[in-house]
Amino acid sequence: MREHTADRTDTPAPAELRGDCGSCFGLCCVALPFARSADFAVDKDAGTPCANLRTDHRCGIHATLRERGFSGCTVYDCFGAGQRVSQVTFGGADWRGGPPERGRGMFDVFPVVRQLHELLWYLTEALTLPAARPVHADLRRTLADTERLAGGTPGELTALDVAAHRQRVNVLLLRTSELVRAGARGRKKNRRNADLMGARLRGADLAGADLRGAYLIAADLTGADLRGADLIGADLRDADLTDADLTGAFFLTQPQVNAARGGPGTRLPDSVTRPVHWTAGR
């Protein structure tokens, strides 16, 4: 990752917004808490290293996470925050073997940078959407501002009101969604924040739908038309996307796709890759 400079205004490269575990000190395996559940086999407190984390910052059970009860790890992505905090914010200094305050600082900063990098992901994608051209100038300014914040010092990052910044960005992302979905054919269904857990939506016409924040846990979306749908924040855990068409769906992240189920006939946008636990093919 390139070091931030105050006058940087270029769009972050996609590689900068994807987790690079080889350049990170295992921050997600230490900083974040998790509770015993269907996603995690054990409880772990924030700031405590996972028992599966090796001294080289690699996961000792990476190849068998799902089988060992840690499927929650397989659907997580830091959007590149881990390597930024490790290599840029703290200049390559490891939390292991250093003063305790360094580790605490890294663990406090990591969730903040992760949120900012997620916003960078959305803003970067918004700039690729031709229909959003009327707000491209605002998107570029907001992206540059978010990048500046993400490049702050540890003290600046811990003091940042990241929720307030998210709200400002969300106003712009909502406008982007309106512009993009306006070009979708037919009626644009509004399912924002809808409770669709376990819903039978096989073959449903959800083209251009607003599914922001929708609960689609274990929903049957087999063969559904999700072309051009806004999926920001939609919970797709165990949703069945077999033969569904998500071509042109936007604000869809890799963690969302990883949490769902799919098959060879599932059509995905180019912004995400097919999860390895799905049937091979595209």
Side-chain angles (χ1 to χ4, degrees):
M1 176 175 291
R2 294 168 292 172
E3 187 171 354
H4 169 74
T5 56
D7 60 350
R8 176 177 173 179
T9 58
D10 56 303
T11 301
E16 293 183 306
L17 299 178
R18 294 185 185 274
D20 176 8
C21 297
S23 300
C24 176
F25 297 133
L27 295 184
C28 66
C29 304
V30 186
L32 305 180
F34 51 72
R36 185 191 296 268
S37 63
D39 296 321
F40 297 101
V42 298
D43 295 319
K44 189 190 83 64
D45 294 329
T48 301
C50 175
N52 299 312
L53 184 66
R54 302 185 319 206
T55 56
D56 63 355
H57 302 297
R58 299 294 194 273
C59 175
I61 62 169
H62 186 267
T64 57
L65 281 167
R66 287 180 174 271
E67 294 81 355
R68 301 283 288 273
F70 288 87
S71 61
C73 298
T74 69
V75 302
Y76 179 80
D77 192 324
C78 72
F79 295 98
Q83 64 259 31
R84 179 170 211 150
V85 173
S86 297
Q87 303 301 330
V88 180
T89 313
F90 284 85
D94 194 344
W95 56 269
R96 290 188 191 271
E101 56 268 23
R102 179 196 297 163
R104 287 193 296 269
M106 295 180 83
F107 306 150
D108 289 342
V109 162
F110 173 68
V112 176
V113 177
R114 197 269 183 189
Q115 290 189 65
L116 292 172
H117 269 229
E118 183 179 11
L119 294 176
L120 288 172
W121 175 276
Y122 293 136
L123 290 164
T124 300
E125 181 178 2
L127 282 166
T128 71
L129 304 173
R133 190 167 289 110
V135 293
H136 274 190
D138 290 334
L139 286 166
R140 290 191 188 93
R141 283 191 292 270
T142 304
L143 186 145
D145 186 40
T146 305
E147 169 67 10
R148 177 185 59 79
L149 293 173
T153 66
E156 291 169 340
L157 286 162
T158 53
L160 178 64
D161 187 347
V162 70
H165 184 67
R166 286 190 75 101
Q167 187 154 357
R168 289 192 293 272
V169 174
N170 191 51
V171 171
L172 192 52
L173 296 179
L174 279 168
R175 178 59 181 148
T176 298
S177 178
E178 292 167 356
L179 290 167
V180 175
R181 291 185 301 103
R185 60 169 178 76
R187 182 184 175 193
K188 291 81 174 177
K189 296 180 175 64
N190 184 353
R191 296 290 186 271
R192 188 183 302 180
N193 299 321
D195 184 354
L196 298 170
M197 294 177 60
R200 298 177 180 178
L201 297 168
R202 180 182 290 261
D205 180 4
L206 294 168
D210 183 351
L211 290 163
R212 296 170 64 91
Y215 295 94
L216 288 159
I217 302 170
D220 182 4
L221 290 160
T222 304
D225 185 353
L226 290 156
R227 289 176 295 173
D230 181 349
L231 290 164
I232 193 169
D235 194 334
L236 295 172
R237 283 177 292 172
D238 291 323
D240 192 348
L241 297 175
T242 301
D243 295 331
D245 189 351
L246 289 86
T247 305
F250 58 101
F251 297 151
L252 176 68
T253 66
Q254 195 64 49
Q256 288 172 292
V257 176
N258 290 350
R261 293 180 286 132
T266 306
R267 301 184 64 186
L268 296 171
D270 293 335
S271 57
V272 295
T273 59
R274 183 171 300 275
V276 296
H277 61 278
W278 285 16
T279 305
R282 187 173 178 94

